[in-house]
């Protein structure tokens, strides 16, 4: 995806200080585990089911808006995207919502129906070096009929209506069995879980994640 860019280049020490600050923050965020435990203290871990990508390039600045379309950048790396007209053959998704960026994993919660999440970055200098400073997040929905981000479909970020196994890993509800669970809500405390919740799953600390409890009930 094409990123926001700027023609201003940081100089010497300022650029070095910025890089030194970002690297430990990113490493610290990645190191935060996403584990969960039930009331009986049995614990396991699961990674987020969100799909995230980043890209960087030099050129004109692009400001994404809801309704804009994009697709893989043919001149970029495997995980880079750029803006396209929605009727262009290169367009593969439409932006449902534009959200703030974050260097912390799981900190951005896109709306239901989001099939992919693309991080837009500002780059300073050559795009060949990759990386960049996160500036915004595009919550995208496929233009095709394939929508793994729909509730119960088994992909995208975890949302109400999804199903998970006993390790809190998202699965397609069509494949859920008696040992699996259906998500009724994602909240900060058990007290906020909706009626019908029989198995609230408490999550361990993860920096930036907007919820700490998965409100669940048996899927079958």
């Amino acid at each position: 995806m094409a990123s926001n860019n700027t023609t201003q280049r940081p100089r010497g020490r300022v650029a070095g200080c910025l890089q030194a600050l970002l690297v430990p923050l990113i490493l610290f965020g990645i190191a935060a585990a996403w584990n969960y435990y039930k009331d009986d203290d049995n614990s396991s871990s699961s990674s987020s089911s969100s799909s995230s990508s980043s890209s960087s390039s030099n050129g004109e600045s692009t400001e994404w808006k809801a309704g804009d379309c994009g697709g893989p950048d043919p001149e970029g790396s495997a995980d880079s995207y750029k803006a396209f007209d929605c009727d262009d053959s290169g367009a593969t998704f439409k932006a449902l919502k534009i959200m703030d960026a974050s260097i912390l994993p799981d900190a951005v919660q896109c709306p239901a129906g989001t099939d992919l999440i693309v991080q837009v970055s500002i780059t300073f200098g050559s795009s060949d070096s990759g990386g960049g400073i996160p500036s915004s997040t595009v919550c995208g929905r496929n233009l095709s009929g394939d929508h793994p981000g729909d509730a119960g479909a088994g992909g995208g970020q975890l949302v109400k209506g999804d199903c998970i196994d006993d390790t809190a890993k998202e699965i397609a509800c069509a494949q859920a069995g008696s040992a699996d669970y259906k998500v009724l809500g994602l909240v900060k405390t058990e007290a906020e879980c909706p009626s019908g919740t029989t198995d609230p799953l408490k999550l361990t600390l993860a920096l930036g994640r907007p919820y700490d409890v998965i409100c669940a009930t048996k899927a079958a």
Side-chain angles (χ1 to χ4, degrees):
M1 167 172 299
S3 307
N4 287 340
N5 301 284
T6 178
T7 57
Q8 180 180 356
R9 298 171 182 264
R11 298 180 179 177
R13 185 174 300 174
V14 174
C17 291
L18 181 59
Q19 183 178 13
L21 175 62
L22 285 175
V23 171
L25 282 175
I26 293 172
L27 292 177
F28 182 71
I30 293 175
W34 192 53
N35 301 320
Y36 86 93
Y37 59 91
K38 288 188 178 182
D39 292 338
D40 60 3
D41 291 332
N42 290 328
S43 63
S44 59
S45 64
S46 172
S47 61
S48 170
S49 60
S50 67
S51 171
S52 62
S53 302
S54 63
S55 61
S56 61
S57 64
N58 288 319
E60 65 180 76
S61 176
T62 300
E63 181 178 352
W64 283 85
K65 303 180 296 297
D68 287 346
C69 292
D73 185 350
E75 298 180 355
S77 60
D79 64 347
S80 63
Y81 295 83
K82 63 176 292 183
F84 286 99
D85 289 335
C86 290
D87 58 358
D88 193 293
S89 61
T92 60
F93 70 89
K94 178 178 286 189
L96 292 179
K97 188 175 183 179
I98 309 301
M99 304 184 69
D100 292 337
S102 175
I103 61 174
L104 301 176
D106 302 318
V108 178
Q109 187 72 16
C110 282
T114 297
D115 295 317
L116 79 164
I117 300 171
V118 180
Q119 178 177 276
V120 181
S121 300
I122 297 174
T123 57
F124 297 87
S126 173
S127 62
D128 294 338
S129 60
I133 302 174
S135 61
S136 62
T137 300
V138 177
C139 303
R141 182 168 176 82
N142 292 338
L143 292 175
S144 68
D146 180 26
H147 297 297
D150 283 351
Q157 288 185 307
L158 195 65
V159 296
K160 178 181 178 181
D162 277 336
C163 292
I164 56 175
D165 63 17
D166 59 1
T167 67
K169 180 181 179 181
E170 183 179 354
I171 59 174
C173 286
Q175 302 171 355
S178 59
D180 302 316
Y181 302 88
K182 186 165 187 177
V183 177
L184 302 183
L186 302 169
V187 298
K188 297 297 290 185
T189 66
E190 282 189 48
E192 298 174 82
C193 281
S195 174
T197 300
T198 58
D199 296 89
L201 307 179
K202 301 176 184 178
L203 306 176
T204 58
L205 175 66
L207 295 177
R209 188 184 58 222
Y211 57 90
D212 294 321
V213 177
I214 300 175
C215 307
T217 189
K218 286 292 185 179

